[in-house]
Amino acid sequence: MTLNAPGLENRRLRFEPLCEAHRDVLNTPETIAAIWKWMPPLTDGTNFDNYFDFMLAAQAHGAVAAFVLFDRETGTWEGITGFDTISRQHRRVRIAFAWHPPATFEPEIFQLTQLSMIKRAMDWRAKRIEWQVYSKNTFFLEHLEAVGATREAVLRHEIRMADGSWADKIVISMVYQ
């Protein structure tokens, strides 16, 4: 099984592997303001289309496994999540991102998303699941620790953001035998 195989869902959400058909779903002012400005800069320029094209190419090469989330009952768009830093040899993966539109966001949706991603990684036989979370994202940190993840380190000034600022990241993980 691949990490981005179709069929992933939970009681509230359907996870669709990212594809070209999702470009218009994700290309909204709300999404651009909330997600893409926090991404690291790309050499071709920091804009939605470059990020989307980058993600599609990375997914085609197996470096990323991204999903667009939809409500199972209504079909409403509920967010985006994905894996990166995928190592088949060492059975390691990072849950790299998770974002839900503020208008429909509930903490339960975030937790269900994370638990589904953890389950997919375990079904893939991951031995290590990692997150690198911006130190200012206390919501994400608290909820990951609530599902059993452990803080490991602080990476100071780890990454330059699209707005030019430098961000610290907290490394959190789950390890399985």
Side-chain angles (χ1 to χ4, degrees):
M1 180 214 6
T2 61
L3 285 166
N4 66 338
L8 181 59
E9 61 182 28
N10 59 42
R11 63 184 168 83
R12 300 242 344 238
L13 301 171
R14 182 180 74 250
F15 293 59
E16 292 185 7
L18 180 72
C19 67
E20 184 62 43
H22 297 122
R23 186 180 296 266
D24 290 339
V25 172
L26 298 175
N27 191 6
T28 68
E30 176 187 44
T31 307
I32 291 168
I35 298 176
W36 310 112
K37 74 176 183 178
W38 297 106
M39 301 294 283
L42 295 174
T43 54
D44 293 337
T46 303
N47 64 57
F48 170 79
D49 285 318
N50 285 344
Y51 282 121
F52 195 87
D53 293 342
F54 174 83
M55 291 297 289
L56 288 179
Q59 187 157 273
H61 294 307
V64 169
F67 298 93
V68 180
L69 310 173
F70 295 92
D71 183 281
R72 286 181 58 191
E73 291 181 16
T74 66
T76 305
W77 175 62
E78 292 289 341
I80 184 168
T81 191
F83 298 104
D84 77 355
T85 316
I86 300 166
S87 172
R88 288 180 195 86
Q89 178 182 3
H90 300 292
R91 308 313 292 180
R92 289 189 312 251
V93 67
R94 180 184 305 150
I95 299 177
F97 52 92
W99 183 81
H100 302 277
T104 60
F105 177 75
E106 301 170 25
E108 179 188 35
I109 290 177
F110 175 81
Q111 289 176 344
L112 287 171
T113 298
Q114 292 303 306
L115 291 171
S116 294
M117 294 293 281
I118 291 166
K119 182 177 182 335
R120 174 54 62 98
M122 291 174 68
D123 290 347
W124 181 73
R125 298 187 336 251
K127 297 294 181 190
R128 176 183 170 83
I129 303 169
E130 178 182 287
W131 295 261
Q132 289 188 7
V133 181
Y134 297 112
S135 59
K136 294 180 182 177
N137 192 343
T138 56
F139 173 86
F140 206 155
L141 293 167
E142 290 170 7
H143 280 80
L144 287 176
E145 289 172 341
V147 297
T150 303
R151 286 189 192 211
E152 292 183 341
V154 177
L155 304 175
R156 295 180 44 212
H157 289 256
E158 164 68 6
I159 192 164
R160 188 172 133 279
M161 306 308 290
D163 68 1
S165 66
W166 287 88
D168 294 350
K169 287 186 176 179
I170 308 290
V171 178
I172 299 176
S173 74
M174 295 178 129
V175 179
Y176 300 94
Q177 296 300 325

